[in-house]
Amino acid sequence: MIRRIDKISPLSQGEECRMRCLLSTVAESIHEPVKPSISISLTKLLIDGKFVDAASGKRFPTIDPRTEEVIAHVAEGDEEDVNRAVKAACKAFDKGPWPKMTAYERSKILIRFADLIDEHSDEIATLESLDSGKPYEQSRNIEVPMVARLFRYYAGWADKIHGLTVPADGAYSVQTLHEPIGVAGQIIPWNFPLLMFAWKVGPALACGNTIVLKTAEQTPLSALLAGKLLHDAGLPEGVLNIVSGFGPTAGAAIASHMDIDKLAFTGSTEVGKIVSRAAAESNLKPVTLELGGKSPFIITEDSDIDQAVELSHFALFFNQGQCCCAGSRTYVHESIYDEFLEKAKARALKRVVGDPFQNGVEQGPQISDEQFHKIMGYIKKGQEEGAKLVTGGERFGRKGYYIKPTIFADVQDEMTILKEEIFGPVQSITKYKTIPEVIQRANASPYGLAAGVFTKNIDTANTLSRALRVGTVWVNCFDVFDAAIPFGGYKMSGHGREKGVYSLNNYLQVKAVVTSIKDPAWL
Amino acid sequence: MAMLRAATRLSRAFRTNSIFESHASPLSLSSVTVKRLDLRCLLSTAAEAVAEPIKPDISISLTKLLIDGKFVDAASGKTFPTIDPRTEEIIAHVAEGDVEDVNRAVKAARRAFDKGPWPKMTPYERSKILLRFADLIDKHSDELATLESLDSGKTYQQSRYAEIPTMARLFRYYAGWADKIHGLTVPADGPHSVQILHEPIGVAGQIIPWNFPLLMFSWKVGPALACGNTIVLKTAEQTPLSALLAGKLLYEAGLPEGVLNIISGYGHTAGAAISSHMDIDKLAFTGSTEVGKIVSQAAAASNLKPVTLELGGKSPFIIAEDANIDHAVEVAHFALFFNQGQCCCAGSRTFVHESIYDEFLEKAKARALKRVVGDPFQNGVEQGPQVSDEQFDKVLGYIKIGQEEGARLLTGGDRFGQKGYYIKPTIFADVQDGMRISREEIFGPVQAITKYKTLSEVIQRANDTTYGLAAGVFSKNIDTVNTLSRALRVGTVWVNCYDVFDAAIPFGGYKMSGHGREKGIYSLNNYLQVKAVVTSIKDPAWL
């Protein structure tokens, strides 16, 4: 998705400049936000194949981060709704037809769903950008096609879940069956609502499980449409249940439910600990976690500086800096540090901030009031702790959760902004001298999600690739998220891997079947 | 493991009628059978009186903690006694590790991982050390087996001829994996070269139980070392001795210092320190479901280290109407009573089809009455004492509960002899699903037999448990076997066999019996991190 920077900034240098002047003005005064042409029809919970109100009848508002105004009121799921959803998912798993269908039939439903995504991509992308504030061009041309691509990928896996036959030490025939694990509880975040939907729902369905999914309270809308389309594609009722709602209520009910067999969570490390403990305390359901990060982006002395600037800019600022794998510690070799700083500043100043529905905008608002204030707090802290503010540092405009692209230079390892996840458009640049030094500093973090390495030297690339204790190393690229590439964290960035063949493990149980054999011809 | 299989062989060797195929057995069938018959009379008498327990010829020299390649006292200077379950007397006082000792061990393991040489060695070099260790196990198998039986109360024949050879077999198996840890290259959607590295995860914390001390040592230490990790291992306080000797032999085989550290001690002190340690990257635990929850929560609350769990079970053993009854009785007996009933995968719910129920009961009772209980160092003994006072009382407590709840006591039901933690082989019949002896893990020589009518009924009842570790299926009908094999929500289904534990067969639980799999190729995942390395490529010739 995210790899195609050229698609994200499709404008020529000149156009971009003109746009920027225009947009800056517009956004600073926030005269008239673009009104996307869409009516919000799906706001209820999706349980047992039907859209239903919350048992409590309660609803919560979802906010347009451009205007701080209410988009729609959405049914607010709580424990009772989770119980209903689990009951439906249990029935769908235990009585079938989902796990009893042939894998080929399951794959055809997933392929039809991918086709429906393509067919409805304008509508899906609009919902996604409206609810999250991400540029429409990013949603429409990158993320939604990627959702379709992921479901086609997982459709292909459905009939390729092979077990093993196993060599025995005696007269036994041994096979391992890779079975669906049962009812999967899945909790997804607000930064990539549909992509996280695809990462979670795709493998769970391909492996024959049923699902209770909780969306983030900031972005409940797009998943409901996706859920409807999945049922349109032929998904049997009860196989995918979607509960909109909050973490302490609906999320907690999922994490501690005794009839959910598996939990997958993407979100903060702090909440990852809470759901893991709830899972352990209840029925010991296994947990997959994709959590926070503080990923280093290392630029060596032999780098092409212009390319390095552009890529490290993208690595941090993409999606308003709201990526768990954001390249949020930019390590630049001292020999090129000053030139790099100057160019990074120039690039940040050129970044087009504005209404995400305006063509050519690179950066929309942050997701919410809470995130906006959290980021502004980190910017203040960076200044207090003595980092050098190179550009930005304040809100953009007077309405909406916009923040100016911000760069700190001369950031020291012990400063809060280099240790904690900011999750916003704040780049922290720091200088290093030697490879062993930068390895040590890059690894001195409780996180281990990803890293960027920028070099033309194969020895440097190979040494760093092994030494960095992270789940993904991008060499001379960043945020390449192909379906087949596994993604996940070392250390406190999580457990397990999503995407790729590895993701199937999260949704399969391994059963050894050992049968005594008479007169074996061979062993 | 070939071990339990060999144990099956041992068990088979005690059978009077020949149902199993003959295997190369450490004991010849005919002679042992005769021997057993003689012994049984002798032993029952002897054990009831507990006249003179056999004194095994061994001196206990290793009782300290193994940290950074050296045997050292606990920081506190404290020791705890380890008890001979035959006599209830002290075998030795062992250094009692606590938080400070765990910290020292983690520091050593951390250094051994971060600075090497262990993860920087070639896998071939690592594999050679594991192979040398396996040779040393073979060489010291008398001593290892003696320690194992003395500390745990399991029969010496089982230790010496089944478990220790299986331990050597497991380390040779894992030695073979060390240089076969392949990653993948991955098809990309654009001009990127993608490779996946399977890296060691770092410092592994491992907590093992007392029922198979050395085998659990092998299941944990084998894959962790093959994958290049370093280890802080806590043994069970009931059985600290054999692992210390194994640790010493591993160092003799060439293990660099700090790679394996062994802490003897208790769960709430040393175990808690391991599960909540911020510098341990991985936790593997085998024990009760209750403690599994505690260590998982500690892991989550500290640094979110991933956790592998092998926990409790209440495994069904299902005998279909077409089964050969004598054979079924023997395997069901073995499935429950093996290792004094102290197996997490014990076949502790025996479901017998109603059409053969009465005959089965009668024969199961006869088989239990024939079970040879006595000093585990006596040849021909099938069942030694339970491991501890606590377990002994717990098992007798369940027997009382079974009677109170109205299950029919067929045989056994009380202690055996006046000294040592011996319990008579016990059978309850007509056990109902709601009874506690049918729901909770007893972990002792208590077989609970119940009747069923239809296949769909027994599937529903067998799955109606919070556990999902294993199951036995006894049938000659291929449809019955295949239907049950898929329907049972358990990690292992043994068909017309039980407790087959080959190195290559994965073992682990569904539901509250645990996470992850040990043994086999699957076990490597527990000790590897997956790293995607994605490199931009210029002018790719193909994608």
Side-chain angles (χ1 to χ4, degrees), chain A residues 418-434:
Chain A
L418 209 63
K419 295 170 87 83
E420 297 179 13
E421 192 173 37
I422 299 176
F423 229 66
V426 182
Q427 187 175 23
S428 297
I429 305 179
T430 184
K431 192 190 292 190
Y432 76 91
K433 279 187 180 155
T434 69

Side-chain angles (χ1 to χ4, degrees), chain B residues 18 27-28 45 69 85 96 138 147 180 192 213 221 227 365 390 424 451 462 469-470 472-473 507 511 532 540:
Chain B
S18 176
L27 301 166
S28 99
T45 327
E96 181 182 334
D138 284 343
L147 277 181
K180 294 165 198 75
H192 295 101
V221 171
C227 294
K365 178 181 172 181
E390 189 189 339
K424 286 185 185 159
K451 190 191 292 192
L469 196 53
V473 169
F507 183 79
K511 299 195 272 185

Side-chain angles (χ1 to χ4, degrees), chain A residues 360-371:
Chain A
V361 159
E362 293 178 282
Q363 181 177 320
Q366 308 308 122
I367 183 78
S368 69
D369 191 47
E370 188 189 340
Q371 285 297 313

Side-chain angles (χ1 to χ4, degrees), chain A residues 3-4 93 146 149 163-164 166-172 174-182 258 261 269 272-273 276-277 280-287 289 291 307 456 462 464-477 480 482-486 488-492 494-495 497 501-502 505 509-519, chain B residues 2 5 9 12 19 21 23 110 113 169 183-184 186-192 194-202 278 281 289 292-293 296-297 300-307 309 311 476 481 484-497 500 502-506 509-512 515 517 521-522 525 529-536 538:
Chain A
R3 160 162 51 88
R4 304 209 168 76
F93 186 80
M146 191 60 157
R149 193 266 176 272
L164 299 169
V166 177
D169 287 349
Y172 297 94
V174 184
Q175 59 175 319
T176 58
L177 300 176
H178 293 187
E179 303 193 331
I181 197 166
M258 293 300 288
D261 301 302
T269 295
K273 287 184 171 189
S276 293
R277 293 180 73 175
E281 209 171 5
S282 54
N283 65 345
L284 278 168
K285 56 182 82 59
V287 182
L289 298 173
L291 307 176
Q307 268 187 36
K456 290 292 180 199
N462 283 339
L464 284 172
S465 294
R466 287 218 170 207
L468 294 168
R469 297 192 53 73
V470 298
T472 303
V473 180
W474 285 297
V475 181
N476 299 327
C477 57
V480 178
D482 295 358
I485 304 176
Y490 281 47
K491 299 194 271 186
M492 284 166 76
H495 309 157
R497 293 295 179 270
V501 63
Y502 301 90
N505 296 340
Q509 275 285 18
V510 174
K511 177 189 280 178
V513 181
V514 183
T515 307
S516 177
I517 39 175
K518 294 267 175 228
D519 306 323
Chain B
R5 170 116 37 78
R9 289 175 205 148
R12 286 170 202 164
I19 304 155
E21 278 120 344
H23 273 288
R110 191 82 258 166
F113 186 78
R169 194 267 177 271
L184 298 169
V186 176
D189 288 348
H192 295 101
V194 184
Q195 61 172 317
I196 311 296
L197 302 176
H198 292 186
E199 302 193 333
I201 197 165
M278 294 300 287
D281 301 304
T289 294
K293 287 184 170 191
S296 293
Q297 290 184 65
S302 55
N303 64 347
L304 278 168
K305 55 181 83 59
V307 182
L309 299 173
L311 307 175
K476 291 290 180 202
V481 166
L484 284 172
S485 294
R486 287 218 171 207
L488 294 168
R489 296 191 55 73
V490 299
T492 303
V493 180
W494 284 296
V495 181
N496 298 327
C497 58
V500 178
D502 294 0
I505 303 177
Y510 281 46
K511 299 195 272 185
M512 286 168 76
H515 308 159
R517 294 294 178 271
I521 185 172
Y522 303 89
N525 296 339
Q529 275 285 18
V530 172
K531 179 189 280 179
V533 181
V534 183
T535 307
S536 177
K538 295 268 174 226

Side-chain angles (χ1 to χ4, degrees), chain A residues 244-258:
Chain A
S244 315
F246 293 85
T249 52
I254 290 173
S256 63
H257 206 290
M258 293 300 288

Side-chain angles (χ1 to χ4, degrees), chain B residues 14 49 100 119 156 169 175-176 244 250 371 467 527 540:
Chain B
F14 296 124
E100 202 176 326
Y156 178 77
R169 194 267 177 271
L244 295 171
L250 244 172
R371 187 166 186 80
Y467 294 114
Y527 297 100

Side-chain angles (χ1 to χ4, degrees), chain B residues 255-273:
Chain B
L255 196 74
E257 58 188 30
V259 174
L260 172 67
N261 303 275
I262 302 177
I263 304 287
S264 316
Y266 292 87
H268 61 277
T269 52

